[in-house]
Amino acid sequence: MSTFNVLIIGAGPAGLATALALTSSPPPLNRSIKITIKERMTVKDRQARQGFGYLVMPNGVEQLETLRASSILDNCVPLRTSILADSQGQTSTIEVDSCYCCARSTIVSGLEERLSTSDNVTIDFGVHVDGDTDTDYDLVIAANGVNSSQSAKLNPNNLPAHNAIQTRVTVFQSPSLARKLSGKFTKTMFKSSLAIGLFAPNSHDVVAFAQYDTNVHGVDPDLGEICNLNNKTSVIVPPELLDFFNEGGSFNHPSNSHLWKQVEVPDPRCRRYHDGKALVLVGDACHPLVDFTSQGVSSALEDAVVLAQCMTDFEYDDVGSALVQYEEIRKERRIKYVEAGICLMQNFKRGGLMRPFTRRGSAPAEAEAEAEVDSETESEATSSVTITEIQPLSPNSGEILRKQHLLYSENCKISLNKTSRRESVVRFCEEAPEERHIEQASTEEDLNPFQDHFVDRKMLRAKAFNYRWASLPEGCIPLTAASSDFKVAEPIQKALVKYAEEGYCCYGPPEGLPEFRASLAKYFSKKLSESHEWDCSLEGEGGLMRVDSSMVMATNAAAAGVFHVAESILTEEGDECLVMAPVDFLLRSAVNALKNRKIINYSVASEGEEKLPTFSIGELEELVTPRTKLLSVCNPHNPLGRAWTVNELTDLADFAERHNLMIFSDEVWGDLVFEPKVHICMSSVCKSAAARTYTVLGFSKNYGLEGARIGGLIAPSKAKLDEVVINSGSATTASGASTLSQICACAAMEECGDWLELWRQHLRRNVVYAVERLRGMAGVDVKHMPEACFVIYANINKVIIGEKGSEKDLCQFLERKYSVSVIPGVVEFFGPGSYGHIRIAVGTSLEILREGLDRLEMGCRAYKNEKG
């Protein structure tokens, strides 16, 4: 009888569970299994560093049952109640089922004990395995965590990166406090993006953790001071947390504390789980999850069970096919966990009422990401929640998941051009905690509106002009104008229909509909308050910044707002405007439309390879003259993708004050800044900026309303706005914004926040994917990952090879021969400093983006060879 040799790298829960799953599965025909587990820590180190604690979720409990190891939970504490509180004093008490508080050492020792009875498993401690694994093994399973060298080898361009969230965790021995906490999980939000939680994994230990955003609270915050444990604020401090600190609990103990730096993978959908031959990833090595889902160990247990089932399905003969099936089954489920974690993390940053795991433990935590509720105001006992149903894994979990996947593949015909996909939806209608009933519903559409199959190419070829589908030869993929290839959000569609059905289409006021002005004032005031913690206001009284609707005007697209500002400030011949270079062409066009006004370009560039592109106040001081009236800033910057910092914007505001300049801030991309960066409104940085800044906002990049032609202008005061209205011609009906378009914008601002968040997440994934692809193309370089916008400014000097080619010639070549269109870096589009570049827009599906970049790569290679 031959032997099937397996190497497992890592003896944590993921590795041990995978070994147990393989030994518990039917053995391959006429073969025996030999499993070697290699753990880098020595036995002594392992005993000294036993880790902290887990919340094992219902799906994790089911996997332990499948592995016949559920008795491990006898040494853990069943979780019955979750007590969650926000910084405003709101508290939610949630009953949970089938969840356990566990010490990591309990899980590890329990799995090791079950493996110790098997003659087919050997654990070698103190052995390090690098990225080049031994080919003597039939199967190599990397279960060695987020920093796995095997994972890095499979995903060199898609490595996990630290985000701004950190968690300090400690284990504190206190039998009396452990008794008080038995069956409870408490988590309290003390400020936006800072929370402390407690649970007891056994009868004598307490696990405490503090989560915080380092961008807000720094890397080493004084937790006692920030939490204000004297209870001078509205926060209701749990008595158990007071006991923790009163008994000497600390997050900084050298032996009992640890700092977790949370990581995210740039593009989870493009992450490889295996090499198609003999290497496969499980647990965090496969895909790290953010803390907020509480799914780390439970998801690792699922990996183990499903991988063993896939190996059994193919009878260990076709390892490559088994690994393909494993990835196909696991990827969609893990991506849902990732997306849920991002949603929960963002709610945490906003200070909303937290739900660290699924209500009542009835379904996996990713359901939270698709819950159609207001996460900050929902009452848990009376909520009506809609979630995507994901079947809990049963004792036959691998087989069930395999059948589900095969059914899904058959429905989609395993094609990238998917049609609609039927999803089951479970509605929990909870009239009281003990009374629940489930209604089965279904939908023909994926709840995420940015899936590949939602792009209607036929419709786009009929409707999408301005360098896009309808303006290009059939079959050409446009990565050109920064517009969305997806439908607008449903509330906008409904608002359009309702307005039309009412039957009236009258003139609106010159400044815009009252409801539009009120909505935009509220919308922008929220953006100002979120910009940072600067203590100032437009009224000069200190405190929260806000704008009044009397300072707001509706414009015929953001572009019209740009022209209105220019004609209101540059009122005399010879007046000058300072304009970034490179930058989008609109302001330059607006100044050129006025007779004998002058553009003064100031550079936005990198001073070194590692530095982000920025401007120089020294250069501005040299350029400014007595005729200069207006300083413009593109914030965030198109095409460089910079999200300017508070310091950078303050420098500009100080410069403008010194020279008595008005400021124009183009903030049409402000809703599309990617975490951990935030959008800083120019008006928010100081009082002088607030008093001299005109801000233009749009609804095309963020909500896909470019065809509606609606924008908003916010002036420094009502008097300044009145001047703009007169100069714009709106008062005579010669100009102005469509009332129908304003209704669309109101629906966007008031009802489409969740849609916008999904759009931002989709774009972030597309940007990361595109940058990594471009960096891998011969002759193409992208020096910096964009912090905002969904355009990428790529250097192609080595493709056009000096004067042998040109940006425009390359773009014509790509469109003519490779059916992909991009924007050339030339003066008419971006001004001085743009040569040697192309701009790629990625506001489409991942499928179309991938296809477009494939064509771009082939075309650039062919052009380079032709010119070389």
Side-chain angles (χ1 to χ4, degrees):
M1 178 181 290
S2 62
T3 301
F4 188 90
N5 289 299
V6 179
L7 170 63
I8 298 178
I9 308 167
L16 295 171
T18 304
L20 185 58
L22 291 171
T23 57
S24 302
S25 301
L29 188 64
N30 297 323
R31 300 186 75 177
S32 61
I33 299 178
K34 175 66 176 176
I35 300 175
T36 301
I37 304 175
K38 295 187 178 182
E39 167 58 46
R40 63 180 177 83
M41 284 201 296
T42 64
V43 173
K44 183 178 180 180
D45 288 341
R46 190 179 176 87
Q47 291 172 344
R49 298 170 59 189
Q50 296 205 10
F52 298 94
Y54 298 124
L55 294 180
V56 178
M57 306 307 290
N59 53 317
V61 173
E62 288 167 358
Q63 301 326 297
L64 290 174
E65 292 171 352
T66 300
L67 297 171
R68 298 181 178 86
S70 58
S71 60
I72 292 174
L73 299 173
D74 294 344
N75 298 313
C76 303
V77 178
L79 186 60
R80 303 301 181 203
T81 307
S82 170
I83 304 171
L84 310 170
D86 69 6
S87 57
Q88 304 304 313
Q90 297 183 49
T91 301
S92 176
T93 301
I94 307 169
E95 297 177 13
V96 293
D97 302 321
S98 302
C99 295
Y100 287 80
C101 303
C102 304
R104 183 182 187 277
S105 58
T106 301
I107 301 292
V108 169
S109 61
L111 292 171
E112 281 183 350
E113 182 180 344
R114 281 150 185 80
L115 288 171
S116 65
T117 61
S118 173
D119 295 331
N120 298 328
V121 180
T122 303
I123 304 178
D124 297 332
F125 292 96
V127 179
H128 176 72
V129 180
D130 60 22
D132 297 320
T133 51
D134 194 333
T135 55
D136 290 341
Y137 293 95
D138 298 291
L139 178 63
V140 177
I141 302 169
N144 47 348
V146 65
N147 295 315
S148 164
S149 56
Q150 290 74 30
S151 178
K153 183 178 179 181
L154 284 178
N155 300 280
N157 297 320
N158 197 9
L159 299 176
H162 293 295
N163 62 25
I165 304 298
Q166 290 186 356
T167 301
R168 290 188 178 275
V169 61
T170 186
V171 174
F172 179 69
Q173 196 166 83
S174 173
S176 60
L177 183 53
R179 283 194 298 273
K180 288 183 181 180
L181 281 168
S182 182
K184 292 182 186 176
F185 174 97
T186 73
K187 190 172 183 181
T188 304
M189 177 76 78
F190 287 90
K191 286 192 173 184
S192 177
S193 67
L194 187 148
I196 294 181
L198 297 171
F199 65 90
N202 51 45
S203 62
H204 49 81
D205 288 331
V206 172
V207 174
F209 62 91
Q211 290 174 323
Y212 52 90
D213 186 341
T214 57
N215 285 335
V216 178
H217 303 291
V219 295
D220 190 17
D222 185 337
L223 296 170
E225 177 67 24
I226 291 174
C227 297
N228 194 356
L229 295 176
N230 292 324
N231 205 22
K232 297 176 183 177
T233 67
S234 60
V235 178
I236 301 173
V237 182
E240 295 89 353
L241 184 54
L242 288 173
D243 289 347
F244 169 77
F245 281 106
N246 290 336
E247 292 183 25
S250 169
F251 290 98
N252 295 311
H253 194 283
S255 61
N256 293 336
S257 301
H258 185 75
L259 175 64
W260 295 106
K261 295 183 178 181
Q262 193 162 272
V263 298
E264 292 181 65
V265 171
D267 190 353
R269 292 189 179 276
C270 296
R271 192 163 173 83
R272 297 177 64 195
Y273 290 14
H274 62 89
D275 66 355
K277 300 175 184 176
L279 173 63
V280 65
L281 310 176
V282 296
D284 281 347
C286 181
H287 203 301
L289 301 171
V290 297
D291 294 343
F292 299 91
T293 57
S294 303
Q295 274 293 337
V297 68
S298 298
S299 187
L301 293 170
E302 284 184 355
D303 289 347
V305 171
V306 173
L307 178 60
Q309 181 64 54
C310 291
M311 293 301 298
T312 300
D313 286 347
F314 287 90
E315 299 180 344
Y316 289 75
D317 285 333
D318 188 350
V319 173
S321 295
L323 300 187
V324 168
Q325 178 174 285
Y326 163 76
E327 177 172 329
E328 289 174 341
I329 293 173
R330 292 299 294 144
K331 180 168 277 190
E332 283 301 315
R333 192 174 180 91
R334 274 187 166 265
I335 286 171
K336 287 183 181 292
Y337 290 142
V338 171
E339 292 173 346
I342 292 171
C343 289
L344 292 168
M345 178 174 64
Q346 287 161 350
N347 187 50
F348 166 77
K349 289 183 176 183
R350 292 192 298 266
L353 195 62
M354 298 163 294
R355 290 191 297 273
F357 44 80
T358 308
R359 51 183 63 76
R360 303 191 188 283
S362 55
E366 75 274 274
E368 297 294 335
E370 296 169 351
E372 297 180 314
V373 295
D374 184 338
S375 62
E376 298 185 24
T377 60
E378 176 200 6
S379 169
E380 201 62 50
T382 60
S383 62
S384 176
V385 183
T386 303
I387 61 175
T388 302
E389 179 188 8
I390 298 182
Q391 296 291 344
L393 298 179
S394 70
N396 295 317
S397 21
E399 179 65 17
I400 289 174
L401 280 175
R402 185 179 68 83
K403 290 179 179 177
Q404 288 178 345
H405 167 70
L406 292 176
L407 178 61
Y408 167 72
S409 298
E410 182 181 349
N411 290 339
C412 294
K413 299 189 180 352
I414 317 180
S415 168
L416 288 175
N417 296 316
K418 303 185 189 79
T419 55
S420 61
R421 181 174 124 199
R422 181 173 296 275
E423 293 276 5
S424 281
V425 175
V426 177
R427 295 187 181 273
F428 287 87
C429 302
E430 301 180 303
E431 297 175 358
E434 68 279 0
E435 296 177 5
R436 290 186 288 173
H437 67 275
I438 298 175
E439 299 175 3
Q440 193 72 22
S442 63
T443 174
E444 289 296 327
E445 296 183 340
D446 195 323
L447 294 178
N448 185 339
F450 304 110
Q451 300 297 307
D452 291 346
H453 58 275
F454 284 124
V455 174
D456 188 335
R457 298 196 197 196
K458 182 178 179 181
M459 192 70 73
L460 288 167
R461 281 193 291 270
K463 294 190 173 186
F465 292 87
N466 189 34
Y467 300 99
R468 297 180 66 225
W469 297 88
S471 303
L472 297 172
E474 186 167 351
C476 186
I477 292 178
L479 304 178
T480 46
S483 299
S484 169
D485 279 351
F486 294 93
K487 292 180 180 179
V488 299
E490 188 175 342
I492 298 173
Q493 298 176 43
K494 289 181 178 179
L496 276 168
V497 172
K498 181 177 182 294
Y499 189 82
E501 287 178 343
E502 289 170 351
Y504 287 91
C505 197
C506 306
Y507 281 125
E511 303 88 350
L513 293 172
E515 54 265 47
F516 173 84
R517 300 177 75 196
S519 289
L520 186 55
K522 181 179 178 182
Y523 190 78
F524 189 63
S525 293
K526 185 173 186 293
K527 292 171 71 67
L528 289 171
S529 68
E530 291 175 347
S531 289
H532 56 78
E533 295 180 318
W534 200 281
D535 186 22
C536 62
S537 74
L538 292 174
E539 291 84 347
E541 299 172 353
L544 183 66
M545 292 192 65
R546 62 188 184 276
V547 297
D548 186 81
S549 61
S550 65
M551 302 154 64
V552 174
M553 174 185 179
T555 62
N556 179 25
V562 178
F563 277 73
H564 296 338
V565 172
E567 61 194 1
S568 296
I569 306 301
L570 307 175
T571 57
E572 299 179 4
E573 292 190 14
D575 283 351
E576 298 172 350
C577 176
L578 289 161
V579 179
M580 290 178 160
V583 77
D584 182 76
F585 66 90
L586 272 177
L587 180 61
R588 188 172 284 103
S589 299
V591 176
N592 287 334
L594 301 171
K595 185 178 180 181
N596 294 330
R597 274 60 164 188
K598 187 176 180 181
I599 294 171
I600 308 295
N601 296 297
Y602 67 101
S603 299
V604 179
S606 301
E607 295 181 0
E609 288 291 320
E610 300 302 320
K611 293 187 177 181
L612 292 171
T614 189
F615 46 82
S616 165
I617 297 298
E619 182 192 17
L620 283 166
E621 294 286 1
E622 293 176 359
L623 294 172
V624 68
T625 77
R627 299 305 306 268
T628 308
K629 298 293 181 63
L630 184 62
L631 169 68
S632 71
V633 55
C634 189
N635 176 36
H637 189 279
N638 170 20
L640 298 179
R642 273 303 316 276
W644 305 113
T645 65
V646 173
N647 289 339
E648 287 171 316
L649 295 176
T650 302
D651 287 344
L652 286 176
D654 291 345
F655 167 78
E657 186 177 23
R658 285 195 299 274
H659 297 281
N660 195 28
L661 307 179
M662 300 307 289
I663 301 172
F664 163 67
S665 186
D666 176 356
E667 301 190 11
V668 299
W669 291 95
D671 282 330
L672 298 176
V673 175
F674 307 128
E675 291 190 346
K677 297 291 291 186
V678 295
H679 174 56
I680 308 297
C681 302
M682 185 73 205
S683 298
S684 72
V685 298
C686 59
K687 295 174 185 177
S688 66
R692 63 182 68 249
T693 299
Y694 293 81
T695 302
V696 167
L697 303 173
F699 298 89
S700 59
K701 316 305 179 190
N702 42 6
Y703 295 108
L705 290 175
E706 59 267 24
R709 301 202 59 76
I710 180 63
L713 189 152
I714 298 165
S717 65
K718 180 182 184 304
K720 295 289 187 185
L721 185 80
D722 291 343
E723 294 176 5
V724 173
V725 172
I726 292 170
N727 291 325
S728 71
S730 298
T732 65
T733 71
S735 182
S738 159
T739 54
L740 184 58
S741 299
Q742 293 176 64
I743 295 299
C744 290
C746 287
M749 289 184 284
E750 295 169 7
E751 302 180 59
C752 299
D754 292 341
W755 183 96
L756 176 62
E757 186 55 50
L758 291 172
W759 177 229
R760 183 163 43 233
Q761 292 172 20
H762 174 78
L763 293 174
R764 181 175 184 262
R765 287 191 289 267
N766 277 10
V767 166
V768 172
Y769 171 75
V771 168
E772 294 302 326
R773 282 290 309 273
L774 290 164
R775 285 174 173 171
M777 296 181 191
V780 181
D781 188 27
V782 181
K783 295 189 183 303
H784 306 286
M785 183 69 71
E787 300 170 317
C789 311
F790 56 88
V791 294
I792 299 162
Y793 208 47
N795 187 305
I796 41 85
N797 273 316
K798 292 182 180 179
V799 175
I800 59 178
I801 313 179
E803 297 182 357
K804 293 183 178 180
S806 71
E807 302 82 1
K808 190 173 289 188
D809 185 54
L810 170 63
C811 291
Q812 291 170 350
F813 176 87
L814 292 169
E815 182 179 318
R816 185 175 66 253
K817 293 195 173 182
Y818 287 87
S819 294
V820 61
S821 185
V822 295
I823 299 293
V826 291
V827 169
E828 51 261 47
F829 283 116
F830 305 111
S834 57
Y835 287 116
H837 292 82
I838 55 174
R839 195 193 73 172
I840 299 105
V842 300
T844 187
S845 68
L846 182 59
E847 173 194 352
I848 292 173
L849 178 60
R850 184 182 291 116
E851 186 179 348
L853 291 176
D854 288 344
R855 297 180 187 186
L856 180 68
E857 183 171 15
M858 291 186 291
C860 285
R861 186 187 304 119
Y863 187 87
K864 187 173 185 290
N865 292 337
E866 182 179 292
K867 299 300 177 181

